[in-house]
Amino acid sequence: MSAAPPPFPKSEETVGQTELELLQLGPGPFEDEPCLRADAARNRARLLEAAERLVAEHGAAGVTMEAVAAAASVGKGTVFRRFGDRTGLLAALLDHSERKFQAALLGGPPPLGPGAPPVERLRAFGCAMLRRSIDELDLQLAAEPSAERRHTFAPRRFLRGHLALLLRQAVPDGDSELLSHTLLAYLDVALIHHLTEQCGMPSERLREGWLDLVARVTRTEPPAA
């Protein structure tokens, strides 16, 4: 990444003694002159928004440097200067998505963000993850880490830590660490791809399955249909 995003709202949520970390994949702040930083940030956001639309409409295969330039109404050279190549663009796009999702968890409106009971937040978390994964399926599959890195990958650590926090609140007598791994496995992007694309399972069934799983783990009633 060539840019550092503006700071997200702080949350008092912690996992153990460690504050939930915000994902940082890129090298750091803008290297532009200070007077150009605001313009650079706006241009970068505009390009990423165009790339997001292309992913939603055509999948990751539709995200090319030329297509993003056309969608953002800029020259192709602008896209290359900002991201280097298509790999850099896709990495920036995934990072952008991760940061927005983390911001929603840490400081967005409830029930996904703070302010709702833990069981409601667990339900909202899984439903939001399912929607996001289905919308960005090609992109997330392309960025899936190798098996030996899967559980140490920064975004996954953040999400598992968030689940563990909510589980400690919702099920104080449970093993929140192991349960968080179990719940996160349900939301694995490779599994979602298998169920939706290879098995033809409707997304609504996955959503209902998540709500049922949360109800069983937390020993609560599922929400009314």
Side-chain angles (χ1 to χ4, degrees):
M1 266 7 70
S2 57
F8 289 143
K10 288 286 185 178
S11 168
E12 294 181 356
E13 298 177 347
T14 58
V15 178
Q17 298 299 314
T18 305
E19 183 176 338
L20 288 173
E21 61 185 304
L22 288 175
L23 173 63
Q24 289 195 353
L25 297 179
F30 281 119
E31 296 177 358
D32 306 271
E33 292 296 324
C35 62
L36 299 179
R37 288 182 181 178
D39 285 342
R42 284 192 293 269
N43 290 339
R44 186 175 185 274
R46 181 181 175 189
L47 293 171
L48 289 173
E49 287 168 3
E52 282 183 325
R53 293 195 300 271
L54 290 170
V55 170
E57 294 169 4
H58 307 293
V63 180
T64 65
M65 308 299 268
E66 294 81 2
V68 171
S73 302
V74 300
K76 186 170 64 174
T78 301
V79 188
F80 277 98
R81 283 192 298 274
R82 178 54 55 197
F83 302 108
D85 56 19
R86 184 174 182 272
T87 299
L89 172 61
L90 292 177
L93 186 56
L94 184 64
D95 181 71
H96 182 63
S97 173
E98 290 286 354
R99 289 171 185 269
K100 288 199 303 182
F101 192 69
Q102 289 185 12
L105 293 177
L106 293 177
L112 187 59
V119 173
E120 288 186 23
R121 296 195 69 191
L122 284 168
R123 293 171 184 157
F125 173 88
C127 292
M129 280 283 291
L130 287 168
R131 282 195 304 271
R132 178 176 170 236
S133 293
I134 290 170
D135 288 345
E136 303 175 356
L137 196 53
D138 290 347
L139 182 64
Q140 292 203 27
L141 281 174
E144 185 75 352
S146 58
E148 63 271 16
R149 290 185 59 237
R150 186 164 299 151
H151 298 287
T152 59
F153 190 45
R156 190 178 183 96
R157 286 203 317 270
F158 173 86
L159 297 175
R160 194 199 63 74
H162 182 73
L163 281 175
L165 173 70
L166 296 178
L167 285 164
R168 278 200 293 276
Q169 297 170 354
V171 195
D173 59 340
D175 188 329
S176 60
E177 183 176 1
L178 289 179
L179 288 174
S180 66
H181 280 289
T182 300
L183 291 183
L184 198 57
Y186 184 95
L187 304 170
D188 180 72
V189 67
L191 176 61
I192 293 171
H193 174 265
H194 169 68
L195 294 175
T196 59
E197 299 296 317
Q198 297 175 332
C199 299
M201 190 175 293
S203 59
E204 185 60 27
R205 183 175 172 188
L206 293 182
R207 180 181 178 277
E208 292 301 323
W210 171 260
L211 297 177
D212 180 65
L213 179 60
V214 169
R216 292 174 188 274
V217 167
T218 60
R219 300 187 289 273
T220 59
E221 292 295 322

